[in-house]
Amino acid sequence: MQLAYSLNRLGVDHAALSADDAPGGMFRKWPLFQRMLSWTKPYTGFQPGSREFERHDWNSLAGDEPAHRGLMASVMDGTSYFPSRPEMQRGLELFAERTGLRIRYGCRWEATRREGDDFVLTTSDGEYRAARVVFAVGVAEPWKPPTPGLEHAAQYGELRPVETYADRRIFIIGKQNSGFEIASGLLPLARQIILASPSSTKLSVNTHSLVGVRARYVQPFEDSVLAGGVVILDASIEEVKRAAEGFDVRVRTTDDKPLQFLVDDVVAATGFTTPLRDLPELGVTTFGQSGLPAQTHFWESISVRGIYFAGTINQGSKGLMKHGIPSNSGACQGYRYNARVLARHLAEKQGRSVQIPVIAAKEVIPLLLREATLGPELWHQRSYLARVISFHPDRGILDQGVLPLAHFLDDAQFDGATAITLESNGKQDLYPVVYVRHASKVHETRLDDDPFLNFETAKHRADLAHALDPLLSPSLSQPRT
């Protein structure tokens, strides 16, 4: 939906197909325990519908006009700043209504083939032909490892009604967000919950990022620490067997100690895969447990040109991964901005010229610092998307807008340019970083962090001016006449 909207705004003709019967199809069944992980704060000091509001709204799609922005806040009932599943569904329906999106619903993609320079999609409504195709099919199919007996375990999305788990011992395989979501949902009912996987649990509050279990789901962790009814183990699962009354689960801890658990239920929260159908047979390279397609900085398959990806699959374009911290492309607040960048890229591929504003030298420092302080793209896609300004002796200073940081650093066209982004090292609060490309070299300057997250102070202005000195010289910042 986000990409279709952004393509419409750029005047790019396209066909948008969805197997769902209506907008928000995913949110008619998931998340399992009804509330999102991501928040939308109604009171932020900024008007809903403003660009600045988006920094605090992780769930609305990103519109270009006030009437298209910040729609989730208008449909939430105020009982939580985490939208419920029906509220998320309604927010997407409202976006489709307000923007007049033309999407063919109930149209299932079935097969793909190549004919000359085009791709041909076979769908439930006939064939579609195009030189470029974008797949936004999600990382949506539950996956199980080949552990003996694991076929007996229920998966995420297959759980019985919650009340049927009352007074039962439940073994959950997996200690990522989905495992802790299930544990949190069953905590008021279950007699005991065991969570196990080989890797230790990371918490987002410790990594200073979205890496790790989100704070909303840490109650089972506290229950374990305080010796309640939860056990959290670092252990590999060796076998799951049917028992006379329930299941016999055999594990081996990371210090090589075998353990046995007799439980009533086993749940596999072991991750999800990407439903790419026949794309790998067409040559699309994938990697990792989730089968993500390997992608360029502009979310194009590295092995089959003309095939692009949008939505949660954007995780396959890793970016710099500075300090080991990934992008937020797996969530709406990240991929909505990727889609805008991708739409511009596709428009340029179609031969459409995209306006690049010329700005005055005196605007450069205020613009960059304001973006660091309020720009939602930088806040939500740290070390991944950047605001870019280029300096040309003939054309003057050009505001290139938001682009992938890795593209800025890799492409020689940006020699004589600067980019600002927000970064986190996993230990401290976030801070701005300025990259300057000049004379075929890249200079990186970290600006100070700020307890009030204000990066427009006199100190920030002075430090940024010093970093930009090679570019802001009169010979580079003034166009020739």
Side-chain angles (χ1 to χ4, degrees), residues 257-291:
K257 180 180 180 181
L259 295 174
Q260 178 184 13
F261 295 89
L262 298 175
V263 298
D264 299 299
D265 296 282
V266 179
V267 178
T270 47
F272 300 84
T273 60
T274 310
L276 295 180
R277 292 190 179 273
D278 54 3
L279 294 187
E281 297 168 25
L282 209 63
V284 171
T285 300
T286 63
F287 67 95
Q289 171 194 304
S290 297

Side-chain angles (χ1 to χ4, degrees), residues 17-19 106-113 120-128 133 135 137 141 275-282:
L17 314 177
S18 174
C107 181
R108 296 184 307 279
W109 163 49
E110 295 174 344
T112 320
R113 68 179 187 273
V120 180
L121 302 183
T122 301
T123 77
S124 56
D125 287 348
E127 290 190 344
Y128 288 81
V133 185
F135 294 92
V137 293
E141 291 185 349
L276 295 180
R277 292 190 179 273
D278 54 3
L279 294 187
E281 297 168 25
L282 209 63

Side-chain angles (χ1 to χ4, degrees), residues 1-2 8 40 52 72 99 183 193 258 263 331 358 379 404 435 474:
M1 289 176 66
Q2 179 70 65
N8 281 342
T40 292
E52 293 81 5
M72 281 307 307
T99 60
I193 297 173
V263 298
V358 178
W379 277 83
Y435 296 85

Side-chain angles (χ1 to χ4, degrees), residues 168-445:
R168 295 172 74 86
R169 300 184 73 213
I170 302 161
F171 196 105
I172 299 173
I173 301 171
K175 302 202 303 286
Q176 298 295 328
N177 277 310
S178 59
F180 273 84
E181 178 195 347
I182 294 168
S184 297
L186 298 180
L187 201 57
L189 295 167
R191 185 193 321 160
Q192 185 179 47
I193 297 173
I194 303 107
L195 292 110
S197 72
S199 300
S200 298
T201 301
K202 295 181 179 179
L203 303 179
S204 63
V205 293
N206 293 332
T207 66
H208 290 252
S209 71
L210 295 188
V211 173
V213 177
R214 298 289 296 280
R216 202 164 98 65
Y217 293 151
V218 299
Q219 189 60 50
F221 196 93
E222 182 187 70
D223 193 287
S224 171
V225 170
L226 300 181
V230 176
V231 176
I232 297 178
L233 289 174
D234 295 341
S236 59
I237 314 303
E238 297 195 325
E239 188 176 15
V240 177
K241 287 184 177 180
R242 289 275 192 186
E245 296 183 2
F247 297 89
D248 179 353
V249 183
R250 308 290 178 96
V251 308
R252 185 169 296 274
T253 65
T254 52
D255 57 359
D256 203 35
K257 180 180 180 181
L259 295 174
Q260 178 184 13
F261 295 89
L262 298 175
V263 298
D264 299 299
D265 296 282
V266 179
V267 178
T270 47
F272 300 84
T273 60
T274 310
L276 295 180
R277 292 190 179 273
D278 54 3
L279 294 187
E281 297 168 25
L282 209 63
V284 171
T285 300
T286 63
F287 67 95
Q289 171 194 304
S290 297
L292 287 166
Q295 298 158 55
T296 68
H297 302 324
F298 286 102
W299 308 285
E300 184 179 17
S301 168
I302 64 168
S303 53
V304 183
R305 296 301 181 180
I307 289 182
Y308 291 82
F309 301 94
T312 59
I313 306 178
N314 283 168
Q315 297 170 81
S317 180
K318 291 295 187 181
L320 300 185
M321 289 281 290
K322 288 191 73 173
H323 309 290
I325 296 175
S327 72
N328 289 339
S329 296
C332 178
Q333 80 270 21
Y335 63 66
R336 64 189 180 189
Y337 299 115
N338 297 354
R340 279 179 159 178
V341 175
L342 176 56
R344 171 182 164 182
H345 178 75
L346 292 173
E348 292 170 341
K349 288 286 186 181
Q350 294 283 87
R352 290 185 174 272
S353 59
V354 177
Q355 185 177 7
I356 300 177
V358 178
I359 63 174
K362 65 180 181 181
E363 299 177 72
V364 172
I365 289 174
L367 187 153
L368 292 175
L369 292 181
R370 183 144 183 95
E371 286 298 291
T373 302
L374 297 173
E377 300 92 342
L378 274 58
W379 277 83
H380 290 301
Q381 286 287 51
R382 301 171 193 174
S383 302
Y384 191 76
L385 295 180
R387 188 63 178 261
V388 176
I389 294 177
S390 57
F391 299 75
H392 303 267
D394 295 319
R395 301 168 63 192
I397 304 174
L398 304 183
D399 180 1
Q400 300 281 356
V402 173
L403 291 170
L405 176 61
H407 171 61
F408 169 83
L409 294 173
D410 285 350
D411 198 314
Q413 70 168 303
F414 294 111
D415 192 49
T418 185
I420 194 166
T421 188
L422 289 173
E423 298 188 359
S424 173
N425 58 20
K427 300 175 183 178
Q428 299 166 295
D429 292 336
L430 77 166
Y431 47 85
V433 175
V434 182
Y435 296 85
V436 173
R437 293 191 59 168
H438 178 61
S440 301
K441 294 181 180 180
V442 177
H443 301 274
E444 178 180 338
T445 301

